[in-house]
Amino acid sequence: QVQLLESGGGSVQAGGSLRLSCVASGNMHNLNCMGWVRQAPGKEREGVAAIYTDDIDSGRTYVTASVKGRFTISLDNAENTLYLQMNSLKPEDTAMYYCAIDHTCIYGAIPAGLDAFGQGTLVTVSS
């Protein structure tokens, strides 16, 4: 069983930056789709970014259109830590951000957290 612990959330003004971290512990064997999802108050959960580590898409990343050019996802395999660098933040980025892992997913898909889902870290962006 994999456990996830997110950190790095906070309150920033529009245009600011934050870096979220997600430390994974447990058996990570064969877990090849890792990413971030977010949920704003009163809204549906939204996929943000993913990184793939299977043989076909190893190292490839994907970000959703609403954050493209502003957010970057990365993975430190040695530390079992997933990152989300968020720049040029906007008020509409305000949400709880969750780390999610699936065994596998196709390129362009954001993991649903079927194998692991974190407790979340809150990001608040003021105008």
Side-chain angles (χ1 to χ4, degrees):
Q1 187 175 359
V2 174
Q3 293 186 327
L4 305 175
L5 181 62
E6 301 100 329
S7 62
S11 296
V12 296
Q13 290 191 325
S17 298
L18 286 171
R19 188 175 81 154
L20 307 184
S21 300
C22 171
V23 179
S25 58
N27 186 1
M28 296 290 291
H29 183 63
N30 276 342
L31 297 180
N32 296 313
C33 180
M34 290 168 272
W36 293 90
V37 301
R38 68 185 181 185
Q39 188 163 19
K43 294 190 176 181
E44 298 282 327
R45 187 175 295 171
E46 174 191 21
V48 177
I51 188 165
Y52 312 95
T53 59
D54 60 290
D55 291 342
I56 297 175
D57 293 309
S58 182
R60 292 184 78 183
T61 63
Y62 173 84
V63 294
T64 195
S66 62
V67 305
K68 194 171 185 178
R70 301 188 297 121
F71 290 13
T72 303
I73 186 171
S74 61
L75 174 67
D76 184 332
N77 277 305
E79 298 293 330
N80 273 356
T81 301
L82 185 70
Y83 297 100
L84 185 68
Q85 178 67 45
M86 306 186 297
N87 299 328
S88 302
L89 283 161
K90 303 176 181 180
E92 51 263 44
D93 294 318
T94 294
M96 187 71 82
Y97 284 71
Y98 301 91
C99 183
I101 298 180
D102 288 350
H103 162 60
T104 187
C105 56
I106 62 172
Y107 179 76
I110 308 293
L114 300 177
D115 286 274
F117 197 78
Q119 294 297 309
T121 186
L122 180 63
V123 172
T124 303
V125 185
S126 58
S127 57

